[in-house]
Amino acid sequence: MHEPQRVPIMNESCFIQQLKLAKRDGFSGMNRVGSKFGGGGVAGAAEANVDRRERLRKLALETIDLAKDPYILRNHLGSLECRLCLTLHTNEGSYLAHTQGKKHQTNLARRAAKDNKDSQLLIAPVPSTVRHKVFLKIGRPGYRVTKVRERIDYDHLGQRLSEGDGPPREGLMVQVHLPQIKDDVMPRRRFMSAWEQRKEPPNRTYQYLIVAAEPYETIAFRIPAREIEDEAEDRTGWNWSHWDPDTKQYSFQFMFRT
């Protein structure tokens, strides 16, 4: 008679040792006889990342046409580059997963904001409705420019008599001779920054003094870019302007603020 096969009995200590070895070698409950599908435990971070990138790649394949993507570039090595984010990808799947990521989406938003700002700057300004005067110019007027320096008086005790306590102010006195100026025209002057004019390259160390009177050409003087005192607020009398209708001479003086 055939004897039944004997099954070795495993004691408790051997069973515990075998269980520890199984856990160390990555034992899981998946694919065992009688086990349920999907009952193998929680996936790790690496598996979750791979699954996420695969889902993003499939989504990008449905929504993105690589032929119309302006940021994809295939280099001479066969790899793909993102010209927006400056990243390198080995295949189309990696690139498509990158396009759905946070970095690429953030750079797309920044690029859209920059393009919108640039388009606003390129909008043509509204044409001015102010009519420009057209008249025959007869040339430049004669002029004289003189440097002036504030005079400070002291008494016999050495006390300052002039107003203020700073160093003496400096300025310019300009005299413009306009013998053929029109009867109903008054000479005008203004100060212009270096970025307003179009005759010379802008230089922040200078500004321009403009004097205009019809029918003469407008004349300009390049002066240091220093703050100029207001004639209406000056109580010392060093800032003034005068038009003499008899001699046809326009004179004015201004001081730089110290």
Side-chain angles (χ1 to χ4, degrees):
M1 178 179 286
H2 182 69
E3 294 183 0
Q5 186 178 1
R6 294 182 180 181
V7 179
I9 300 175
M10 183 181 298
N11 56 24
E12 183 179 357
S13 61
C14 292
F15 177 75
I16 294 176
Q17 184 67 20
Q18 292 292 334
L19 183 61
K20 290 181 179 179
L21 292 176
K23 290 182 177 179
R24 185 193 65 182
D25 296 337
F27 172 80
S28 65
M30 293 182 61
N31 301 326
R32 291 187 301 172
V33 178
S35 64
K36 295 182 179 180
F37 180 76
V42 181
E47 291 81 2
N49 190 29
V50 171
D51 181 68
R52 180 183 63 83
R53 294 180 66 87
E54 181 64 21
R55 286 188 285 107
L56 291 176
R57 186 186 69 84
K58 292 180 179 180
L59 177 63
L61 283 173
E62 299 175 358
T63 58
I64 297 179
D65 186 3
L66 292 180
K68 299 180 181 179
D69 191 342
Y71 302 115
I72 188 172
L73 174 66
R74 189 179 299 274
N75 57 24
H76 65 285
L77 299 177
S79 302
L80 300 176
E81 298 181 12
C82 178
R83 295 189 292 183
L84 180 63
C85 306
L86 302 179
T87 54
L88 185 64
H89 306 275
T90 57
N91 51 51
E92 294 182 356
S94 175
Y95 175 79
L96 290 173
H98 162 73
T99 59
Q100 302 301 309
K102 181 178 179 181
K103 181 178 181 180
H104 190 82
Q105 296 298 324
T106 302
N107 289 337
L108 282 177
R110 291 177 179 175
R111 183 60 182 267
K114 182 178 181 300
D115 293 343
N116 187 24
K117 182 179 179 181
D118 293 342
S119 63
Q120 292 178 357
L121 295 177
L122 294 176
I123 298 177
V126 179
S128 176
T129 57
V130 179
R131 297 183 59 184
H132 296 277
K133 285 187 176 182
V134 180
F135 57 90
L136 181 62
K137 298 181 180 181
I138 62 175
R140 297 179 182 178
Y143 59 85
R144 175 186 296 176
V145 180
T146 308
K147 292 183 179 180
V148 295
R149 185 181 178 92
E150 180 184 17
R151 177 181 176 180
I152 301 178
D153 297 327
Y154 297 89
D155 58 12
H156 64 284
L157 298 178
Q159 299 294 329
R160 180 170 176 166
L161 299 178
S162 303
E163 293 186 6
D165 54 358
R169 296 174 295 174
E170 298 177 344
L172 295 174
M173 181 179 65
V174 182
Q175 298 171 297
V176 185
H177 189 51
L178 305 164
Q180 300 184 30
I181 190 173
K182 293 182 179 180
D183 295 335
D184 56 344
V185 173
M186 283 285 296
R188 296 178 298 170
R189 63 183 173 97
R190 68 178 291 255
F191 296 96
M192 177 186 294
S193 69
W195 284 268
E196 292 182 73
Q197 54 87 28
R198 296 293 183 269
K199 297 294 184 180
E200 299 179 355
N203 190 338
R204 66 177 61 189
T205 59
Y206 296 105
Q207 59 182 333
Y208 294 85
L209 169 64
I210 311 299
V211 180
E214 296 180 16
Y216 291 95
E217 295 182 4
T218 302
I219 56 177
F221 306 93
R222 187 171 62 180
I223 60 177
R226 298 168 55 185
E227 186 178 359
I228 298 173
E229 296 182 351
D230 189 357
E231 180 180 344
E233 299 178 356
D234 181 29
R235 296 180 299 176
T236 62
W238 283 89
N239 296 275
W240 52 267
S241 61
H242 175 69
W243 164 244
D244 191 340
D246 298 328
T247 60
K248 307 293 185 180
Q249 180 167 294
Y250 179 51
S251 306
F252 59 91
Q253 180 174 290
F254 61 91
M255 307 297 290
F256 296 107
R257 193 180 301 276
T258 55

